[in-house]
Amino acid sequence: MLIGQSTEHGSEKPFHAINPATGEQLAPAFGSGTVLDVERACALADQAFDAYRETTLAQRAAFLEKIADNLIDIGPALIERAMQESGLPQVRLEGERGRTVGQLRLFAKVVGDGAWLATALDSALPKRTPPRPDMRLRKIALGPVAVFGASNFPLAFSVAGGDTASALAAGCPVVVKAHGAHPGTSELVAKAVQAAVAACGLPEGVFSMLHGDGRTIGQALVSHPAIKAVGFTGSRQGGMALVRAAAQRAEPIPVYAEMSSSNPMFLLPNALARHAARIGSGFIDSLTLGAGQFCTNPGLVVAMGGPDLDAFCAAAVTALEGKPASTMLTPGIYAAYNDGVSRLAGAPGVTLLARGQQGNTACAGKGALFATDAATFLANPALEEEVFGASSLVIKCSEIGQLRQIAEYLDGQLTATVFLEQDDQQEARGLLPVLERKAGRILVNGYPTGVEVCHAMVHGGPFPATSDSRSTSVGASAIDRFLRPVSYQDLPSWLLPEALQDDNPLQLWRVRDGVPVRA
């Protein structure tokens, strides 16, 4: 564990990472932390907060860039350890490291631009009746943030992933609860962050990382009064446990939990008629990518029944039967996936269309494709539940209005995809308003796996996709989760923060008396 600038072995229950491809324990043993370790990490974060949140934009951007440089400098050792702990292939993890570094550099640029401060200045109007005082606004960091590492992205959604990067960009110290599936990877990354803290001369409490049981360490972390927000990616059960813990505090705090999503694909009639086979094979490529262990995996397909959907299904079956099983991240995830597939296979009115090929590793997950009709789906809420892995359900509609009926019925989603042609315009216009209410990202003629890290990305959505539909965990807007507005009335010029001074030393775009200006 890394608590501030100290490095120490947890004194509680030792544990090992498991290689999911072989089932073997990996050395070394890691020690779990205690509630006292949580107290130390949170106390350091609290002490660091005021100094860190008032670092200059240039200092904070340089810190994020230094973390990115340090991650690159680890070299092959990071990828090798992550491969052992996750079963993910080298090329995937090298791409994920690139994404992690890219996120850090994106937030360095976001910080430097300063637009996130949302500065506004309203001049005093002493002769108005009633008089208006001088009013100025900026956003400031919320406070220390607890971040929970995710199982399915050992780099991009973990110790130095998007939640950590956006919280540090906002000016919030971070205490990470590392995921138990990849402790060695987490330690390597945490040391890179710790080294960046020291190299940039920042308070040691800006970053800490703990190991330990989620119920003990996680609950203690979320309940600690120094923690002012939480970032989490994982199961609905885990996310809601944190939401409840945060709500029961004397001071409730926000939990930004990304949880479950089935990511429906709607195939409109003309697109299906013209491209059934191509869409079907591409769908299977998306479904089985990374053993289906993406939060944007296409778990539902909705279309009109008939020869065109039959052609789609035939192409999908052929493609899936040719896909080898892939190693899943942990024995627990593998077991849960098989339970979900068995549940679908035993559901009344659901037909198994195809399975992927058998695997030869300890946790090899075979893809699964099922089909049902709209009436059966609408009558059984359990069919909507996410199966985390390469499993999907095709829903056959008997009339076009059922596509919208199913869209209305669905819970909140991270994504919703529509395949369409120009002559599907009427159906698309009817579907779009429903999908805007249901999903954080709407795609046309593409597949939902793959989340671009950019300014326009939303990786969020209505419950249960996330616990707060107003936010995103990916993209530049992720910083907003960890900020709050402060208004300053009639402060003397010598007391004003730089972002609000009249001569605009930071050269920010600001709203001055209702007009956006760089002055």
Side-chain angles (χ1 to χ4, degrees), residues 491-503:
L491 260 67
S493 59
W494 53 268
L495 195 54
L496 285 170
E498 276 192 313
L500 299 178
Q501 292 173 8
D502 283 328
D503 59 353

Side-chain angles (χ1 to χ4, degrees), residues 29 135 137 292 382 466:
M135 300 295 299
L137 168 74
T466 70

Side-chain angles (χ1 to χ4, degrees), residues 41-50 52-53 141-147 167 171-175 205-206 221 224-231 249 253-254 482:
C42 290
L44 284 172
D46 198 31
Q47 294 163 18
F49 175 50
D50 278 336
Y52 179 59
R53 74 180 177 89
L142 197 57
V145 172
V147 170
C172 300
V174 170
V175 180
V206 165
L221 189 52
H224 196 282
I227 297 297
K228 302 302 181 185
V230 178
R249 291 173 31 141
I253 59 172
F482 306 120

Side-chain angles (χ1 to χ4, degrees), residues 60-425:
R60 214 176 307 161
F63 171 46
L64 294 168
E65 290 280 4
K66 182 62 175 173
I67 298 171
D69 291 341
N70 288 355
L71 290 179
I72 294 295
D73 289 345
I74 298 172
L78 179 61
I79 303 302
E80 290 166 5
R81 183 69 190 193
M83 288 171 63
Q84 291 176 338
E85 292 184 331
S86 69
L88 295 171
Q90 179 177 341
V91 66
R92 151 71 194 273
L93 287 166
E94 288 175 342
E96 191 179 327
R97 177 173 58 186
R99 171 177 166 170
T100 306
V101 168
Q103 288 175 157
L104 288 159
R105 299 202 195 284
L106 170 70
F107 281 111
K109 184 177 186 306
V110 168
V111 168
D113 289 345
W116 57 277
L117 290 162
T119 47
L121 295 79
D122 288 308
S123 302
L125 298 174
K127 295 182 179 179
R128 195 191 70 175
T129 303
R132 184 174 80 184
D134 179 273
M135 300 295 299
R136 304 183 185 220
L137 168 74
R138 70 166 177 163
K139 289 187 176 181
I140 69 167
L142 197 57
V145 172
V147 170
F148 288 75
S151 63
N152 60 334
F153 281 86
L155 300 175
F157 274 87
S158 290
V159 173
D163 287 341
T164 297
S166 54
L168 292 175
C172 300
V174 170
V175 180
V176 173
K177 160 64 177 70
H179 197 282
H182 37 76
T185 304
S186 298
E187 180 183 327
L188 288 169
V189 173
K191 286 181 175 178
V193 182
Q194 185 188 57
V197 171
C200 295
L202 299 173
E204 65 168 332
V206 165
F207 176 80
S208 293
M209 184 204 72
L210 305 171
H211 291 301
D213 177 70
R215 292 182 185 86
T216 303
I217 299 299
Q219 293 287 333
L221 189 52
V222 172
S223 301
H224 196 282
I227 297 297
K228 302 302 181 185
V230 178
F232 171 85
T233 298
S235 69
R236 189 189 307 193
Q237 179 183 6
M240 292 310 298
L242 298 181
V243 168
R244 287 189 292 271
Q248 291 167 2
R249 291 173 31 141
E251 176 202 5
I253 59 172
V255 174
Y256 298 105
E258 181 206 315
M259 299 179 292
S260 59
S261 180
S262 297
N263 307 297
M265 289 175 41
F266 293 86
L267 314 181
L268 299 189
N270 291 291
L272 187 60
R274 293 169 197 168
H275 310 293
R278 177 175 61 80
I279 297 171
S281 61
F283 154 67
I284 294 299
D285 288 340
S286 177
L287 177 69
T288 57
L289 184 68
Q293 298 166 120
F294 291 91
C295 40
T296 53
N297 207 45
L300 296 173
V301 179
V302 188
M304 286 291 296
D308 297 329
L309 183 56
D310 292 342
F312 166 88
C313 290
V317 165
T318 299
L320 182 58
E321 289 177 343
K323 292 287 185 184
S326 298
T327 301
M328 301 194 76
L329 291 157
T330 70
I333 289 173
Y334 173 67
Y337 172 70
N338 287 329
D339 287 346
V341 169
S342 296
R343 173 176 52 81
L344 279 174
V350 173
T351 302
L352 175 65
L353 296 182
R355 293 299 306 266
Q357 295 176 5
Q358 193 72 33
N360 55 11
T361 62
C363 296
K366 293 169 54 179
L369 184 62
F370 298 90
T372 191
D373 58 77
T376 299
F377 181 78
L378 292 169
N380 185 354
L383 296 180
E384 187 188 350
E385 293 176 9
E386 178 189 25
V387 176
F388 188 66
S391 172
S392 192
L393 177 65
V394 178
I395 304 166
K396 302 178 182 181
C397 299
S398 58
E399 52 95 10
I400 196 65
Q402 284 185 328
L403 273 75
R404 177 164 178 156
Q405 185 182 4
I406 288 171
E408 291 277 12
Y409 170 83
L410 291 174
D411 288 335
Q413 306 289 333
L414 293 171
T415 72
T417 300
V418 184
F419 279 85
L420 56 79
E421 290 288 306
Q422 182 72 27
D423 37 5
D424 289 312
Q425 191 171 150

